[in-house]
Amino acid sequence: MRFNWVTHYRLGLAFVVVVLFMSIGKVPGMILSGAAEQMETHQDQQMSEPQALTIILERIYLDGEISEEVVLDSYWSIENFWAKYDQWQLIEIDESTMVFRKQVDDISPLLKANGYFGITEDGVLTIFNGRPDRSRIIQSFFQIDVKKLESKKQEELIQGIPIKTKDRYEEVLETFKPYSLGE
């Protein structure tokens, strides 16, 4: 579910309405029963303390990896809260948890640490977690016409080409794109 500025406005407005209803018990001349007095005292305590939420931050990287960070966050005002997450897209919400998502214009930490371009037995350009000969596949791209590859490039793919940066990731894809077999 996608949220836009109208939804953010409505959530903010709902927050203001809740705060107003919580403070109605303070209207002069209003008579409260014992249970209502206890509720008013509890509400006063809640308003004098920051509100707590569980925040889940999802990052989607260029290579398709998704990382998830869980944060316990507190806020005093809804405006400060939204300002803190203005670079994120709200994708899910319930009474105590919000899930935000962000597209990251970079490769994942996994690829930077241990990612290698290589080729599978059937000639598909693939990223491996570790060297291609003994590792698991992270992502596959396209089939390469191995007959057209220079022996040096073929050997590089067999040994594995380390991926440490976004630029290297894009460079390797561009280098081997002309050797891809048409679909």
Side-chain angles (χ1 to χ4, degrees):
M1 177 189 266
R2 297 188 128 192
F3 285 76
N4 56 23
W5 71 270
V6 174
T7 306
H8 290 287
Y9 174 79
R10 287 180 181 162
L11 284 171
L13 188 59
F15 179 79
V16 170
V17 169
V18 168
V19 170
L20 286 174
F21 277 114
M22 290 174 71
S23 61
I24 282 180
K26 297 180 181 178
V27 175
M30 187 173 211
I31 301 171
L32 299 173
S33 67
E37 279 180 345
Q38 286 178 346
M39 184 178 237
E40 180 188 39
T41 304
H42 180 67
Q43 287 172 345
D44 286 345
Q45 289 171 350
Q46 283 183 339
M47 293 308 294
S48 65
E49 296 175 6
Q51 301 298 306
L53 279 174
T54 300
I55 306 295
I56 299 172
L57 302 172
E58 290 181 356
R59 291 174 180 86
I60 302 176
Y61 295 93
L62 290 175
D63 53 278
E65 279 293 311
I66 300 174
S67 71
E68 198 173 271
E69 177 184 359
V70 179
V71 178
L72 184 58
D73 200 356
S74 339
Y75 63 93
W76 289 92
S77 76
I78 195 73
E79 294 83 15
N80 291 342
F81 175 80
W82 287 120
K84 187 173 182 178
Y85 296 102
D86 68 342
Q87 299 297 310
W88 295 82
Q89 178 185 19
L90 180 63
I91 59 166
E92 193 176 314
I93 185 172
D94 67 27
E95 59 274 349
S96 64
T97 305
M98 291 181 138
V99 181
F100 289 95
R101 183 175 289 157
K102 180 192 272 189
Q103 297 286 334
V104 180
D105 187 28
D106 200 359
I107 60 173
S108 66
L110 172 66
L111 250 57
K112 288 179 181 180
N114 206 31
Y116 285 82
F117 273 105
I119 193 166
T120 62
E121 289 179 11
D122 53 350
V124 176
L125 181 66
T126 303
I127 294 178
F128 295 88
N129 184 9
R131 296 231 178 242
D133 60 345
R134 58 188 178 281
S135 302
R136 72 173 181 88
I137 293 174
I138 295 176
Q139 184 179 15
S140 296
F141 294 94
F142 45 82
Q143 189 156 12
I144 292 177
D145 187 349
V146 182
K147 294 178 214 147
K148 290 184 181 177
L149 270 182
E150 303 165 14
S151 59
K152 181 183 176 197
K153 286 187 183 192
Q154 204 171 10
E155 188 57 35
E156 284 178 351
L157 286 174
I158 291 169
Q159 295 301 314
I161 302 169
I163 311 165
K164 299 292 182 199
T165 66
K166 172 189 166 190
D167 290 340
R168 183 66 172 152
Y169 172 85
E170 292 172 340
E171 176 189 331
V172 172
L173 285 176
E174 289 302 312
T175 298
F176 290 100
K177 189 74 171 165
Y179 300 101
S180 69
L181 292 173
E183 293 183 27

